[in-house]
Amino acid sequence: NQIFEISKNHSCVITYPEDVSVGKNINDKSQIKELNEVSEDDLILDIGPKTIKKINGIIEGSKTILWNGPAGFFENPNFANGCYEIAKKIIEKNKNNLIYSIAGGGDTIAVLNQMRAINNFNFVSTAGGAFLEYLEGKVLPGIKALN
């Protein structure tokens, strides 16, 4: 509740899944569930179609997108749909020069490599956590040494 209150006070919107793709293990088939239908033995392994639509709507209304981290367990194709649909929406807008797209993190890059889509982003960083820390304004030891 405190996080939601702080975000509200700073005009920040927190987007979270409305539906998810679950399995009993990482090799399972995908089953779409509403959040209140997820059982204790379900593993949430991807976002569901309602959530994909919600995120794609956010992308549609954006001029810049920073994507850091996959939406699901993309290593199993049954749980890669969220990642693929997000990437396709960003690529669509990027090809029409309607968005500046930034992708960061090793897993995000792995998704883009699987799709052969890495060249469809304006900027790509293989660093994940360090990339985010740099954007926060933190001094990174490697960059400090180069300066």
Side-chain angles (χ1 to χ4, degrees):
N1 287 336
Q2 183 182 9
I3 292 170
F4 283 105
E5 191 62 36
I6 291 169
S7 71
K8 183 176 160 187
N9 291 338
H10 293 283
S11 301
C12 177
V13 177
I14 297 175
T15 302
Y16 52 90
E18 293 180 17
D19 59 345
V20 292
S21 175
V22 302
K24 300 299 180 191
N25 60 65
I26 61 173
N27 298 312
D28 207 354
K29 299 232 185 273
S30 169
Q31 183 180 1
I32 303 300
K33 291 188 175 185
E34 300 289 322
L35 292 183
N36 63 348
E37 298 172 331
V38 176
S39 62
E40 283 190 29
D41 62 339
D42 285 329
L43 293 175
I44 298 174
L45 296 166
D46 199 4
I47 55 177
K50 289 180 185 176
T51 304
I52 292 168
K53 184 176 180 180
K54 184 180 194 179
I55 291 171
N56 281 348
I58 293 168
I59 295 167
E60 188 62 41
S62 299
K63 294 185 188 297
T64 302
I65 191 84
L66 168 64
W67 184 13
N68 186 280
F73 184 67
F74 67 93
E75 291 89 341
N76 178 339
N78 295 331
F79 301 107
N81 193 48
C83 295
Y84 292 164
E85 293 302 317
I86 290 169
K88 286 193 271 186
K89 184 57 146 177
I90 295 169
I91 291 165
E92 170 194 318
K93 286 202 67 177
N94 209 30
K95 284 185 176 179
N96 294 318
N97 293 316
L98 299 172
I99 199 167
Y100 187 83
S101 57
I102 304 160
D107 286 336
T108 309
I109 304 313
V111 169
L112 297 178
N113 280 332
Q114 274 185 0
M115 297 178 68
R116 301 188 194 304
I118 202 160
N119 292 327
N120 294 308
F121 280 70
N122 297 103
F123 181 81
V124 176
S125 170
T126 58
F131 176 60
L132 294 176
E133 286 186 14
Y134 179 74
L135 291 175
E136 288 176 27
K138 293 183 178 175
V139 177
L140 302 180
I143 292 176
K144 184 177 179 181
L146 292 172
N147 288 331

